[in-house]
Each structure stands twice: as structure tokens, then as C-alpha cells.
Amino acid sequence: MDIRQIKCFVAVAEELHFRRAAERIGVAQAVLSAHVKRLEEELGFPLLFRTTRHVSLTQVGYVYLEEVQAVLAQLERAVEKATIAAHSRFDNLRIGGFDAALIWFLPPILHQFQALHPGIQLRLTEGAASGIQIDELSRHHIDLAFFRPPTAREGIEWETLI
């Protein structure tokens, strides 16, 4: 089963007409029919009642339609979000730190950063221990961390500030 088969079925189910469904999604009617037929064969049950003049959904077809419409909508949202992320500027910086860094060292640095980059939102997270900050970096829950001792964890680069 592939996404084309599902999209063909959805078009037929919504139009209740093979020719209009084929025109809607831009494929030949024979191709659309073949995709729907293969989908039904793979599933092992009919989704549509067909006559030469009429198309309607089976009871199973109604259930399947509802579920695949939700899946297709979720897939569209995923594509939209990924497209926005791929084409948008970096607009969010997640920073982790321990109390001394957040209280004494970061405020002037963050103030200067915000003046230079007003469109970037800064999100601060306090971590009780350096190990927590390193774990958060490793899991990509934060983008930048201020922690005490150096680390040798793979994938994490560090620099001594003070």
C-alpha cells in the first residue's frame, strides 16, 4: 500500500465518481481505478460498491476513509512544518545554564545578543547540575548550555569562558 493508492481512494470516496476523482488528482481514470483496486486487494476487503453508473462506500470504506483522511491531514501538517522550518530563519535559541551563569554572567551577554538579533527568542532553562545540561544538549532539548566542568561527550563542543 502506498500514498498514491490512498489518495486515489480518498478522491473517489469524496467525489463518488471515478472520472471526476481522476480529473481532481490529475491522473488517468484507468490509473486511478487500478490504484484503488490494488489497495482493496492489499487490504483484503472492498472499500467501494461499483456499478457502471454508481459508486458508493462500503461500511468498511467509511471507516477507512475517516482514518486515512486524518493520516493525510497529519502528513500535510508535517510537510508544512518541515517546509517552514527549512525556509525560515533561526528564530529560537534554547539556552540551559546553572544558577550562577543565569544570574551573574548571562544577563549582559543576552542583552547584547538581543540588541543585535531582535527577532530571535531566547528561552532559558535552569539545570541543577552540569550533567543535566549536557544530557539536554545531547537530546537536542537545548541549543546552548553553560556548565561548570569540561565534558568529553561525543558531539558536544565546549569552550572555557571564565
Side-chain angles (χ1 to χ4, degrees), residues 97-125:
F98 58 92
D99 55 356
L102 294 175
I103 294 169
W104 302 106
F105 304 113
L106 281 179
I109 294 168
L110 297 180
H111 180 73
Q112 185 178 12
F113 182 87
Q114 291 257 249
L116 293 170
H117 307 282
I120 297 178
Q121 291 183 348
L122 301 175
R123 298 192 182 183
L124 302 176
T125 307

Side-chain angles (χ1 to χ4, degrees), residues 50 53 67 69 95 122 136:
R50 301 165 178 83
R53 298 193 186 274
E67 294 300 318
Q69 283 174 323
I95 303 171
L122 301 175
E136 292 293 296

Side-chain angles (χ1 to χ4, degrees), residues 22-41:
E23 289 172 358
R24 178 174 125 186
I25 61 174
V27 299
Q29 185 175 338
V31 171
L32 178 110
S33 294
H35 280 309
V36 173
K37 184 172 173 53
R38 271 184 291 214
L39 177 62
E40 289 175 318
E41 288 170 358

Side-chain angles (χ1 to χ4, degrees), residues 12-28:
V12 173
E14 290 175 350
E15 296 290 336
L16 295 176
H17 196 277
F18 276 85
R19 184 187 47 79
R20 286 194 305 261
E23 289 172 358
R24 178 174 125 186
I25 61 174
V27 299

